[in-house]
Every structure is written in C-alpha cells, then in structure tokens.
Amino acid sequence: MRVTISRKAHFNAAHRLYRKDWSFEKNDAVFGKCNNPNFHGHNYQLTASVTGEIDVETGFVIDVKDLANIIYEEVELPFDHKNLNLDVPEFENLNPTAEYIAVVIWNKIKKRLRADFDLEIVLYETERNFVTYKGE
Amino acid sequence: MRVTISRKAHFNAAHRLYRKDWSFEKNDAVFGKCNNPNFHGHNYQLTASVTGEIDVETGFVIDVKDLANIIYEEVELPFDHKNLNLDVPEFENLNPTAEYIAVVIWNKIKKRLRADFDLEIVLYETERNFVTYKGE
Amino acid sequence: MRVTISRKAHFNAAHRLYRKDWSFEKNDAVFGKCNNPNFHGHNYQLTASVTGEIDVETGFVIDVKDLANIIYEEVELPFDHKNLNLDVPEFENLNPTAEYIAVVIWNKIKKRLRADFDLEIVLYETERNFVTYKGE
Amino acid sequence: MRVTISRKAHFNAAHRLYRKDWSFEKNDAVFGKCNNPNFHGHNYQLTASVTGEIDVETGFVIDVKDLANIIYEEVELPFDHKNLNLDVPEFENLNPTAEYIAVVIWNKIKKRLRADFDLEIVLYETERNFVTYKGE
Amino acid sequence: MRVTISRKAHFNAAHRLYRKDWSFEKNDAVFGKCNNPNFHGHNYQLTASVTGEIDVETGFVIDVKDLANIIYEEVELPFDHKNLNLDVPEFENLNPTAEYIAVVIWNKIKKRLRADFDLEIVLYETERNFVTYKGE
Amino acid sequence: MRVTISRKAHFNAAHRLYRKDWSFEKNDAVFGKCNNPNFHGHNYQLTASVTGEIDVETGFVIDVKDLANIIYEEVELPFDHKNLNLDVPEFENLNPTAEYIAVVIWNKIKKRLRADFDLEIVLYETERNFVTYKGE
C-alpha cells in the first residue's frame, strides 16, 4: 500500500526577480514590480509530500517528525528570515522565481530521503499563486 | 523541468440546476433545493493550474500576470455577478452543475494557452464541495 | 465569568441590490454589477456569538447544539438555496445588503435567546467582505 | 469527460499510537508523545474524491448528497466522538496511524461506489500533517 | 497608543464531558456523544491576545517570542497530546468544556503578564465552535 | 443601527527590525533574526473595519468599493512589493514592527473616512502573529 504523507512548513524571506546580465529596463519590462531593487518579501508556505510503502512495523511511511526535521534543516534554517538573492548560495546565479525555489527545495529534500520515496513540493508564494514540482 | 503554476480566482454567481425538457417534479426529485425556480448562488473559487517546462530566460513556466489576465477575461468578466443560466451563453442548454462549469472553464482557458501546456481546473462550489477536470 | 460562545454556519443564496422606487439608471449608478436584474449569488458565512455567564451545572454558556439548532431554524432553513429578494419575506421591501442581512439575522436569533445573553452576528458575503452587528 | 468530485467531512476522535506486542519503552521510543496511555485526540479532516464519467442525464459524476451520505454512514457515524483504539473494530489490531486510518476509510467508501469510479482519500490529522491514499 | 498583539498556537488532546457526581444517564442526557467513556479528542486552536501600550524603545507591546514562550510553557507543554480529564490537574474536578478550558488558560497566561496588560483568549474546539474569554 | 463593515487586503513587502541609533549587537539581542541586514519579508494581510450608522438610502454603512479604493491608494499602492524601511517614508525613522505598521495604516485610512466613522485595523504579519489597533 503506497501512501503519501505531507507536511506543511513556512519561511519568511525577501527576494527580487531580476537577471544580472539584463539591463534594468529589460528586467523592469519582464519582472515589473518584482524587480524592486530594494527587494520585497513573502511568507512562503511549503508542503512536502513523500510517497512510499507503509512500514508494517510502525504503520508510518516516514515518521512525520523526521520529515519535519529534514524540512527544518534543508529549508527553514537556511531560508527563513533571509534574503534569497543575497543570503542563499543556491540563488547567487539563479533567479528566485517560485518555480526555481520549488526546484531547489525539491533537490535539497530529495537527497535526504530513501531512494524509493517519491517527493512532491508545493510552494505558495502568495495565497493565490503557488507552484508544484515532482522532479519530472 | 516540468513545473505546475497555479492561480486562484473567484466569481459570485446565481444558478439553478434543472433540465428544460424535464417536468418540475422530475427536476425536483433529482436536483432538490438546487432546483429553486428563483435561483440560489455561490462564491465559486477557482484554481487554474498550468504545467509546462520552465523558460530558462525568465524562470517562469508562464508569467502569473498573463495567467491571471486569461482567467479574468475568460471567467471573471463573463461569469462574475451573473446568473449562469440566464446570462452566460455556454449554459443556455447545459445544466450548470459544478462538473459542467469546470469543463466549460477548462475549454475556455485551454484554447488561450500554448499547445504544450497541460491545464487542470479545480472549482469549489462550496467550502466542502469541489470538482477537478484535466481534459481527460 | 462571562464567556462568549460562537457557532459558524453558512447558506448559499441569490440576491440583487436595488430599490424598487429608483430608476434602473440610479440603481446601476449606486449598486453597479450587484444590480444585475437576473441576480447573482454568494456562499454566506455566518458566525453567531452569544455572551453570558457560564452555567456552573453544565459548564456551558449555552449548549452549542441548541445554538446550532436556532441558527438552523432561523437562518439556514429559510435562507439556504433561496433568492433573498423573492423568497424571503424580510427582504420584500428591504434591500438585502450585507448590513441589512446581518441586522435581520440578529433580530431573528436574539428573540430566541435568554434575555440576559448578548449576541453578535458576523456575516461574510465574500472571503474579503464581511459585516458585524451587535444590536447597538 | 472524466471529472473528479470531492466532498469534505470531519470527525473528532481520540487515539493512541502503540503496538500491544511491544514494550512501553519501545512504543515510547518509536511513537513518543503519541503513545500517551490516556490517549490524545484530533479533529480529523477528510476529503473523499470520486473520479468518473459525467452522467449526461444529470450533469453529475455522482450526486454529492449521495457521496456525503456514504461518508456519513461509513466514517462519521462510526468514528466521530469515538476512541479509535477502543471503539472502532478496524483498529482493534491495527495501529491507528494517519496512514492506516486513510487506508481503512478508503476500503470502507470504495466498496460503496460503482466499480468504475476511482477514489482518493486525503486525511488531515492536524493542519500541518496529512496523508493521501488512492488504493495503489 | 494601545495595541493588541495576538499569537496563535494549538494542542491536540482527548477529553470527555461529564460530571462524576451525576449518573451516566444524566451525563448522557446533557452531554450526549461528548460523554463517551472512552473519550474523544480535538485539535484545539488557541489565540492569546495581549493589549498594552507600545514600548517606544522596541516598537513592541510584548516581544511575540516571549508571548509564544509563555503559551508553550503554560498550555502546549501541559496540554498537548494529553487527556485533559486524566492528565491535567486543573480538570480533575472541573468539566473540560470549551468555556472552562478557556478560563483555565486565561488564568495561567494572565499571571505571567505585566499587570497593566489585558488578555483575551479565543479557543476553537472545532472549526465551527469557539469560545472567547476576557477575564470579565 | 451601527454596523461594522470590514474589507480584507494584502501586500507583500520586505522589512528589517532595527534602530539606527543602536549598535548591531544591541539590535541583534533585541530583534534577533528580524535584524538581518539584507532584510526578510512577509505577505501582510490587512483587515480594515469601519463602524457607523447604516445609510437608509443605500443600505450601506460605506460602499465597500469606496473602502477598497481607499485601502488601495493608502496601503497597497505605497507598500506592496516595497521595502518598508527603504521605500516608505513613514518608516524612515520608525521601526516597522507590526504594531507601528498598524498604527501608520490606521492614521492613513482614518483621515480618508467621515469623522463619525470608527476604524479598526487588524494586520497579520504571519499566519500566527497579528496586531489590532483602534486608535485608542
């Protein structure tokens, strides 16, 4: 029996959407108010969903405390109350769009899981905008 | 990397569930209080989810402002503060169940997207009832 | 010890904002798209909050089942899946704005409560618009 | 056209995570505070999602009132305001983890549906932890 | 300038509504399914709101980390994953209705605050039922 | 009949808690991770509640479109996708704590309302932390 177990978390961060190799005008045309040079910010809401067989010993797919701890170490600790562009190495040369943040988070959490587990990341940037990445 | 980007929207509309070719008694037996001849209404909550490759230029699958604009033109403008049965041509001869409203919305938005994008529509009729359509 | 106990409920209804004694043009200027002659609708969310002394026998201010039943009889049964303008006598000559709906609900529930209980009605017309009435 | 229709419900129950064939120490090491011998409890939130073809007669996949009634009979009536370990026969020898509760609910609802309908169960144990089971 | 600062928290607990000095029949008549001898449970959602003058040094009424810590020590640690009737001394002879739980929490937090601060407790027992206590 | 009408809005902004006249060490001791020199950010959720008599002509206390427009001009336009410390003049010499942001917003909206209207501002900085200011 394959079951998915999901855990929600959140982090509050500043970011700016722009490319260093583009002019301010081009960044402004593409990214609009998200290109504010002084940054803006979000309460990012994250759901990490792990799919695998139920362990008949425990009745768990994965102990949710372990999953919460992986999210804390890989996402909350390095991202929360940070500036994604300036404080997080993964975005030094990667535009921190919701899409790329989800991909970065997926890669960080996936490498901490057993190889036979599937992972899906849902990331809310605002209450009305969110992205989903399954490693496909 | 295929990522899904989702945008939420809403519209407030009146509707009535019934078939013109059925008697009132048969409509009443099948649709119950949803068959009130004077209509009732809902705050419909919509999530449109577009799946495609990340554009390496922008870091976006689709600019969420463009997606929001498509939803506005195809759904919010023609459906919001309207009577679905009387004011919306698509339902002149189609019973506006949540299922069919989702199908209609899927068709309207899908034709505005690039052909290689997948689309999923989730439509909440109430907080406890919702439908999902993926064009399958 | 005075404690407030609150119960949430909801009803789905059609309505139209307009005054019979005004021209369509004046109604349109004041009420805009809410004046659609074919009606529109909402999922109204209601919270009824009753304040009184804790009954030392039961530990309740009021049994929440009794409060839920009063809301059912006074609000859900007569308003749910109805057209407020056409099906609900209280609005035959009263414009069903959120403000007046809250006042009508307050009056209906208040007369069912013990005289020493205070009542507050919160009514959400949409997720972003709501009104509060305390009988003051 | 295959559409999914989803219905939310909830039940409030006590439970304890432990195995009768393990020592208290081993149960404590694996299940931590969830192993409190006096039980703890949750407001479980359930979404049952049924996927099938739209019935062209009614415009429904399944009448949501019928789905709600199945959930009431199979889940709410036997589980609500109960102790899952002591009052619910399915958990007499099965550890009531969120994973296994979802599997039990899936089995109970699936046997009440038409054979060509697919079923997905999402069960929230807390606002931040939930599981998903599709019968795979 | 008097401002209110509010902090949300939650705890998952089992409880049973009954009075030791009443017969099972009388408890059953008054408390219904809440009187299940094997207990049931809830995810209690708590909001503690502190009102006071803004400290012009810090711009805080109270540091929300301090408020969160008080809630953790006074409520989450002693109540979470516990049986309120059996594990929490305050309810040894007090029926753990939502009303009395709110009063107990108010008393525990109030004594930890500066005397010039006002306190309001809002406690959700379910998504649709909640109580409010201000110490009046 | 005095009724309160409330409108929700939101803005996404970066900020940093610190005082220019304090050392980094003192700012760090008081404001912790909120003192990140590169800023962090939030999705601020705002509710503006206006209390006044119902206008018997319209049935409105205030047209919610007018209230939404005031919020847009006074809060969303100047605060959204901005750095509160660097881009918003009101915080040039005022620490942008949730408390002070609420006071600034109250002052900006209050001066746009009729003198006999009362105003309450609720500002969520995160889902679990919020402040309330009534001008008292």
Side-chain angles (χ1 to χ4, degrees):
Chain A
M1 290 178 298
R2 285 179 72 78
V3 172
T4 303
I5 182 150
S6 301
R7 173 72 181 176
K8 295 189 178 182
H10 60 89
F11 56 95
N12 311 318
H15 82 151
R16 173 192 179 187
L17 296 188
Y18 78 117
R19 290 182 56 146
K20 294 175 183 172
D21 57 337
W22 285 1
S23 67
F24 184 83
E25 287 69 25
K26 181 161 183 187
N27 275 305
D28 207 47
V30 172
F31 298 116
K33 62 185 179 179
C34 298
N35 179 38
N36 177 5
N38 287 330
F39 309 98
H40 65 285
H42 296 291
N43 300 338
Y44 290 93
Q45 303 283 341
L46 169 71
T47 304
S49 297
V50 174
T51 302
E53 294 287 326
I54 298 181
D55 178 336
V56 294
E57 284 291 301
T58 59
F60 293 152
V61 171
I62 181 175
D63 188 332
V64 76
K65 289 193 300 293
D66 295 336
L67 178 56
N69 192 46
I70 291 170
I71 297 170
Y72 177 73
E73 291 177 4
E74 298 294 336
V75 182
E76 292 177 274
L77 205 57
F79 289 14
D80 186 40
H81 280 71
K82 295 291 168 59
N83 182 309
L84 297 181
N85 302 73
L86 302 182
D87 297 328
V88 179
E90 284 84 354
F91 299 109
E92 188 176 345
N93 293 301
L94 185 68
N95 202 0
T97 61
E99 286 91 331
Y100 277 136
I101 300 172
V103 170
V104 164
I105 289 172
W106 189 92
N107 284 320
K108 293 185 69 150
I109 294 179
K110 186 65 168 67
K111 72 174 196 295
R112 296 285 301 272
L113 299 175
R114 271 176 31 198
D116 59 322
F117 283 164
D118 292 324
L119 176 65
E120 179 186 273
I121 294 296
V122 176
L123 182 73
Y124 276 74
E125 193 170 75
T126 70
E127 283 196 355
R128 297 178 70 183
N129 299 338
F130 62 98
V131 296
T132 306
Y133 182 61
K134 306 179 189 180
E136 292 171 354
Chain B
M1 290 178 296
R2 285 179 74 77
V3 172
T4 301
I5 182 148
S6 301
R7 172 73 180 175
K8 294 189 178 182
H10 60 91
F11 56 95
N12 310 319
H15 82 150
R16 172 191 179 188
L17 297 188
Y18 78 117
R19 291 181 57 145
K20 295 175 184 175
D21 57 338
W22 285 1
S23 67
F24 184 82
E25 287 68 27
K26 181 162 183 187
N27 275 305
D28 207 47
V30 173
F31 299 117
K33 62 185 180 180
C34 298
N35 179 37
N36 177 6
N38 287 330
F39 308 99
H40 64 284
H42 296 292
N43 300 337
Y44 290 93
Q45 303 283 341
L46 169 71
T47 303
S49 297
V50 174
T51 302
E53 294 288 324
I54 298 180
D55 178 337
V56 294
E57 283 292 301
T58 59
F60 292 152
V61 171
I62 181 175
D63 188 332
V64 75
K65 289 192 299 295
D66 294 336
L67 178 56
N69 192 47
I70 291 171
I71 298 170
Y72 177 73
E73 292 177 4
E74 299 293 337
V75 183
E76 292 176 273
L77 206 55
F79 289 13
D80 187 40
H81 280 72
K82 296 291 168 58
N83 182 308
L84 297 181
N85 302 74
L86 301 182
D87 297 328
V88 179
E90 284 84 354
F91 299 108
E92 190 177 343
N93 293 300
L94 185 68
N95 201 0
T97 61
E99 286 91 331
Y100 278 136
I101 301 172
V103 170
V104 165
I105 290 173
W106 189 92
N107 284 321
K108 294 185 70 153
I109 295 180
K110 186 66 169 66
K111 71 175 197 294
R112 296 284 302 273
L113 299 175
R114 272 176 30 199
D116 59 320
F117 283 164
D118 292 324
L119 176 65
E120 179 186 271
I121 295 297
V122 176
L123 182 72
Y124 276 74
E125 194 170 74
T126 70
E127 283 195 355
R128 298 178 70 182
N129 298 340
F130 62 98
V131 296
T132 307
Y133 183 60
K134 305 179 188 180
E136 292 171 354
Chain C
M1 291 178 297
R2 284 179 73 77
V3 172
T4 302
I5 182 148
S6 301
R7 173 73 182 175
K8 295 190 178 182
H10 59 90
F11 56 95
N12 310 319
H15 81 151
R16 173 192 179 188
L17 297 188
Y18 78 117
R19 291 182 55 145
K20 295 175 184 174
D21 58 336
W22 285 0
S23 66
F24 185 83
E25 287 67 28
K26 183 162 182 187
N27 275 305
D28 206 48
V30 173
F31 298 116
K33 62 185 179 180
C34 298
N35 179 37
N36 178 5
N38 288 330
F39 308 100
H40 64 286
H42 295 292
N43 300 338
Y44 290 93
Q45 303 284 342
L46 169 71
T47 304
S49 296
V50 173
T51 301
E53 294 287 326
I54 298 180
D55 177 337
V56 293
E57 283 292 302
T58 60
F60 293 152
V61 171
I62 181 175
D63 188 332
V64 76
K65 289 192 299 293
D66 295 336
L67 178 56
N69 193 47
I70 291 171
I71 297 171
Y72 177 73
E73 292 177 3
E74 298 294 336
V75 183
E76 292 177 273
L77 205 57
F79 290 14
D80 187 40
H81 281 70
K82 295 292 168 58
N83 182 309
L84 298 181
N85 301 73
L86 302 181
D87 298 327
V88 180
E90 284 85 353
F91 299 108
E92 189 176 343
N93 292 300
L94 185 67
N95 202 359
T97 62
E99 286 91 331
Y100 278 135
I101 300 172
V103 170
V104 164
I105 290 173
W106 189 91
N107 284 320
K108 294 184 68 148
I109 295 180
K110 186 65 168 66
K111 72 175 194 295
R112 297 283 302 271
L113 299 175
R114 270 177 31 199
D116 59 321
F117 283 164
D118 292 325
L119 176 65
E120 179 185 273
I121 294 297
V122 176
L123 183 73
Y124 275 75
E125 193 170 74
T126 71
E127 282 196 355
R128 298 177 70 182
N129 299 339
F130 61 99
V131 295
T132 306
Y133 182 61
K134 306 178 190 180
E136 292 172 352
Chain D
M1 289 178 298
R2 284 179 73 77
V3 171
T4 302
I5 182 148
S6 300
R7 173 72 181 175
K8 295 190 178 181
H10 60 90
F11 56 96
N12 311 319
H15 81 151
R16 174 192 178 186
L17 298 188
Y18 78 117
R19 291 182 55 144
K20 294 174 184 174
D21 57 336
W22 285 0
S23 67
F24 185 83
E25 288 67 28
K26 182 161 183 187
N27 275 306
D28 206 48
V30 173
F31 298 117
K33 62 184 179 181
C34 298
N35 179 36
N36 178 4
N38 287 330
F39 308 99
H40 64 286
H42 297 291
N43 300 337
Y44 290 92
Q45 303 283 342
L46 169 71
T47 304
S49 297
V50 174
T51 301
E53 294 287 325
I54 298 180
D55 178 337
V56 293
E57 283 291 301
T58 59
F60 293 153
V61 171
I62 180 175
D63 188 332
V64 75
K65 289 192 299 294
D66 294 337
L67 178 56
N69 192 46
I70 292 171
I71 297 171
Y72 177 72
E73 291 176 4
E74 297 294 337
V75 184
E76 293 176 272
L77 206 56
F79 289 14
D80 186 39
H81 281 70
K82 296 290 168 58
N83 183 309
L84 298 181
N85 302 72
L86 302 181
D87 297 327
V88 179
E90 284 84 353
F91 300 108
E92 189 177 343
N93 292 299
L94 186 68
N95 202 359
T97 61
E99 287 91 332
Y100 277 135
I101 301 172
V103 170
V104 165
I105 290 173
W106 189 92
N107 284 321
K108 294 185 69 152
I109 295 180
K110 186 66 168 66
K111 72 175 194 294
R112 296 284 303 272
L113 300 174
R114 271 177 29 200
D116 59 320
F117 282 164
D118 292 324
L119 175 65
E120 179 185 272
I121 294 297
V122 176
L123 182 73
Y124 276 75
E125 193 170 74
T126 70
E127 284 196 353
R128 298 178 70 182
N129 298 340
F130 62 99
V131 296
T132 307
Y133 182 62
K134 307 178 188 180
E136 291 170 354
Chain E
M1 291 178 297
R2 284 179 74 78
V3 172
T4 301
I5 182 147
S6 300
R7 172 74 181 175
K8 294 189 178 181
H10 59 91
F11 57 95
N12 310 320
H15 81 151
R16 173 192 179 186
L17 297 189
Y18 78 117
R19 290 181 57 144
K20 295 175 185 174
D21 57 337
W22 286 1
S23 67
F24 185 84
E25 288 67 28
K26 181 162 184 187
N27 275 305
D28 207 47
V30 173
F31 299 117
K33 62 185 179 180
C34 297
N35 179 37
N36 177 4
N38 287 331
F39 308 99
H40 64 285
H42 296 292
N43 300 337
Y44 290 92
Q45 303 283 341
L46 170 71
T47 304
S49 297
V50 174
T51 302
E53 295 287 325
I54 298 180
D55 178 336
V56 294
E57 283 292 301
T58 59
F60 292 152
V61 170
I62 181 176
D63 188 333
V64 75
K65 289 193 299 295
D66 295 337
L67 178 56
N69 192 47
I70 291 170
I71 297 170
Y72 176 73
E73 292 177 4
E74 298 294 337
V75 183
E76 292 177 273
L77 206 56
F79 289 13
D80 187 39
H81 281 70
K82 295 292 167 57
N83 182 309
L84 297 181
N85 302 73
L86 302 182
D87 298 327
V88 179
E90 284 85 353
F91 299 107
E92 190 177 342
N93 293 300
L94 185 68
N95 201 0
T97 61
E99 287 91 330
Y100 277 136
I101 302 172
V103 170
V104 165
I105 290 173
W106 189 92
N107 284 320
K108 293 185 69 151
I109 295 180
K110 186 66 168 66
K111 72 175 196 292
R112 296 284 302 271
L113 299 174
R114 271 176 31 198
D116 58 321
F117 283 165
D118 292 324
L119 175 65
E120 179 186 273
I121 295 297
V122 177
L123 182 73
Y124 276 74
E125 194 171 74
T126 71
E127 283 195 355
R128 297 178 70 182
N129 298 340
F130 62 98
V131 295
T132 307
Y133 183 60
K134 306 178 189 181
E136 291 171 354
Chain F
M1 291 178 297
R2 285 179 72 79
V3 172
T4 302
I5 183 150
S6 300
R7 172 75 181 174
K8 293 190 179 183
H10 60 90
F11 56 94
N12 310 319
H15 81 150
R16 173 192 179 188
L17 297 189
Y18 78 115
R19 291 182 56 146
K20 295 175 183 172
D21 57 337
W22 285 1
S23 67
F24 184 83
E25 287 68 26
K26 181 161 183 188
N27 275 304
D28 207 46
V30 173
F31 299 116
K33 62 185 179 179
C34 298
N35 180 38
N36 177 6
N38 287 331
F39 308 100
H40 64 286
H42 296 291
N43 300 338
Y44 290 94
Q45 304 283 341
L46 170 70
T47 304
S49 298
V50 174
T51 302
E53 294 287 326
I54 297 181
D55 178 337
V56 293
E57 284 291 302
T58 59
F60 292 153
V61 170
I62 181 176
D63 188 333
V64 76
K65 289 193 299 294
D66 294 337
L67 178 56
N69 192 47
I70 291 171
I71 297 170
Y72 177 72
E73 292 176 3
E74 298 294 337
V75 182
E76 292 177 273
L77 205 57
F79 289 14
D80 186 40
H81 281 72
K82 296 293 167 57
N83 182 308
L84 297 181
N85 302 73
L86 302 182
D87 298 327
V88 179
E90 283 85 353
F91 299 108
E92 189 176 343
N93 292 299
L94 185 69
N95 202 0
T97 61
E99 286 92 331
Y100 277 136
I101 300 171
V103 170
V104 164
I105 289 173
W106 189 92
N107 284 320
K108 293 186 70 153
I109 294 180
K110 186 66 168 66
K111 72 175 196 293
R112 296 283 302 273
L113 300 175
R114 271 175 31 197
D116 58 322
F117 282 164
D118 291 325
L119 175 65
E120 180 186 271
I121 294 297
V122 176
L123 182 73
Y124 275 75
E125 193 170 75
T126 71
E127 283 196 355
R128 297 178 71 183
N129 299 338
F130 62 98
V131 296
T132 306
Y133 183 60
K134 306 178 188 180
E136 292 171 352

